[in-house]
Amino acid sequence: MHIQRGDLTYTAVVSTEVAPLEILELLESISTLLYEYTGQVATELTIKENFVCVYQLLSEMIDSGRVVTTDTSVLRGLVPVPSLMGRVIENVSGFSTNTLANSTASHDAPWRARNIRHTSNQFFVDIVDRIDAIIDTTGTCVSYDILGDITCKSRLSGMPHLVMTLNRARELDDVAFHPCVVRRTWDAERMIAFVPPDGPFKLASYHMATQALSRSMPLRVLGEARCTESGMTVCVTVEPGETGSRSVENIRIRVPLDSRAYNIGVQCKSGTHMVTTSRRPQVEWTLDEIRPSDSAIRLVIQYSTRNAVQSDSTNAAFVTFEVPGYSVSSIKVDALRLLRESYKLFKGVRYSTVAGSFQVRF
């Protein structure tokens, strides 16, 4: 089993029957962890430059073929984030600068070390909604799901206890929490009580209950394909949807074409487009921003093919976008309380909506 992330392929070899999702989740966690440790998407060069760190991470994550932990906060206590000075010492002396910081961890909260001190006590929350949808030729939503992540960045001194209250907590299902969350508090009162790790971490991931979905679309995308004597004409129309007066940003629409397509012509009045013919012909249309007051924008693709009747085109467009400051699920943080510490807490919350698996068929 394998996944492709950037230029690297992460491969897992198994010798017995295992749950595929468990292996795929492990590979995804390794990719995410390498990004957090190196600050960029992992490449062959970054793996070579941080080989000792990568080796230590893998040995802590997996022991005798079994997954031990993929928690970033725990691994940060075991393997320090690589620095320029650390790499120089390792290259010159041959010894790792790793010091087992977990020896100072609390037994009650193994994800957090004791005696943490910060000059300013801050806690930031990011709630990101992800829309998975399939739209048919008439613009009707065939499939619609909202998944979300609550990620946090903690810079709090001591051993703080936090309680977070969400406005639509009872409408969430399939909620997965970080080990720091007290599950019985959530089950009884639908409040998230936890002792946060130090630094960035994912507090929870969730799925909106089907009966709570409004099926609102921040971006309306329609596709149409017409067969001509010499080839095909594909039209993709984009217009603003429901975003609460927010602009839709970083829009990318990828349209795969027939593998035998040639003489590809593209017409669009806004944004930029790129035609790729290396593996399978496709057109990628990029728009920086669509404001709520903008009118509909159209992309027209015309191409020739040797047999338009037996076309192997997918007849679909794959869309990505983001809407900063807008929550399609309407999930909000009603309150965030600090317990067992006397200092003043500075807190901030951001919301955003992005496209997950967003497909428009035509």
Side-chain angles (χ1 to χ4, degrees):
M1 285 177 280
H2 71 278
I3 61 172
Q4 182 80 33
R5 295 294 178 268
D7 296 331
L8 290 183
T9 301
Y10 299 81
T11 305
V13 179
V14 296
S15 57
T16 59
E17 190 71 23
V18 294
L21 288 179
E22 180 182 351
I23 304 301
L24 294 176
E25 181 66 24
L26 172 63
L27 296 177
E28 187 67 46
S29 298
I30 293 173
S31 172
T32 303
L33 197 66
L34 293 180
Y35 176 82
E36 293 181 357
Y37 263 73
T38 61
Q40 57 184 323
V41 177
T43 62
E44 182 180 356
L45 180 60
T46 57
I47 295 294
K48 290 180 178 179
E49 290 179 344
N50 302 280
F51 178 78
V52 174
C53 177
V54 173
Y55 181 85
Q56 290 174 338
L57 283 173
L58 293 177
S59 64
E60 296 293 348
M61 295 176 72
I62 306 168
D63 185 19
S64 300
R66 295 185 178 275
V67 179
V68 178
T69 182
T70 58
D71 190 338
T72 305
S73 56
V74 173
L75 290 168
R76 282 177 179 270
L78 298 169
V79 182
V81 178
S83 62
L84 178 59
M85 182 58 67
R87 285 196 291 267
V88 170
I89 295 174
E90 290 172 8
N91 291 333
V92 173
S93 66
F95 293 99
S96 172
T97 56
N98 180 18
T99 57
L100 293 179
N102 65 317
S103 59
T104 63
S106 167
H107 293 293
D108 296 331
W111 51 85
R112 184 179 181 86
R114 294 191 182 97
N115 302 321
I116 295 176
R117 289 290 178 266
H118 293 288
T119 54
S120 61
N121 294 285
Q122 305 170 337
F123 193 84
F124 301 103
V125 181
D126 279 300
I127 298 182
V128 181
D129 289 330
R130 185 173 69 253
I131 300 176
D132 291 348
I134 298 177
I135 313 298
D136 67 9
T137 54
T138 63
T140 304
C141 189
V142 178
S143 173
Y144 186 89
D145 276 303
I146 296 178
L147 306 173
D149 292 324
I150 303 176
T151 58
C152 306
K153 185 175 182 180
S154 173
R155 292 180 56 84
L156 301 178
S157 304
M159 192 63 66
H161 288 62
L162 297 177
V163 178
M164 180 185 295
T165 306
L166 303 176
N167 63 335
R168 302 180 69 184
R170 299 190 181 276
E171 297 176 4
L172 304 181
D173 59 12
D174 294 336
V175 184
F177 289 112
H178 188 279
C180 68
V181 175
V182 181
R183 185 74 197 208
R184 63 178 179 273
T185 304
W186 170 260
D187 293 337
E189 305 176 42
R190 278 300 188 262
M191 294 190 298
I192 306 176
F194 59 103
V195 177
D198 195 50
F201 67 100
K202 182 191 289 188
L203 179 65
S205 59
Y206 59 85
H207 172 262
M208 284 295 293
T210 304
Q211 64 271 18
L213 298 179
S214 62
R215 297 206 170 196
S216 60
M217 290 292 181
L219 196 68
R220 297 190 183 96
V221 185
L222 291 176
E224 179 186 4
R226 298 191 302 271
C227 183
T228 63
E229 295 181 358
S230 59
M232 296 286 292
T233 299
V234 177
C235 298
V236 179
T237 304
V238 181
E239 60 182 354
E242 302 174 28
T243 60
S245 74
R246 303 281 183 173
S247 297
V248 184
E249 300 178 0
N250 298 326
I251 305 159
R252 287 179 175 81
I253 301 176
R254 181 174 61 87
V255 184
L257 306 178
D258 191 297
S259 61
R260 296 159 294 186
Y262 63 98
N263 291 339
I264 302 171
V266 181
Q267 300 175 12
C268 65
K269 295 183 179 180
S270 299
T272 60
H273 68 272
M274 181 176 64
V275 179
T276 305
T277 58
S278 55
R279 295 182 179 178
R280 183 187 181 97
Q282 68 175 20
V283 175
E284 185 171 308
W285 186 22
T286 303
L287 297 164
D288 292 333
E289 181 184 32
I290 290 183
R291 295 182 292 270
S293 58
D294 290 345
S295 56
I297 307 171
R298 170 176 281 197
L299 172 78
V300 179
I301 306 170
Q302 294 177 318
Y303 63 91
S304 302
T305 183
R306 292 176 179 83
N307 192 340
V309 177
Q310 298 180 355
S311 172
D312 64 354
S313 173
T314 55
N315 287 343
F318 302 89
V319 185
T320 62
F321 59 81
E322 60 179 304
V323 190
Y326 173 68
S327 172
V328 69
S329 67
S330 300
I331 292 291
K332 304 288 184 183
V333 177
D334 277 347
L336 181 64
R337 291 179 294 151
L338 172 67
L339 307 176
R340 302 191 184 181
E341 294 290 348
S342 58
Y343 51 73
K344 184 177 180 181
L345 170 65
F346 178 79
K347 53 195 173 185
V349 183
R350 293 188 303 187
Y351 305 94
S352 64
T353 298
V354 301
S357 176
F358 199 101
Q359 185 180 143
V360 179
R361 297 176 178 175
F362 46 84

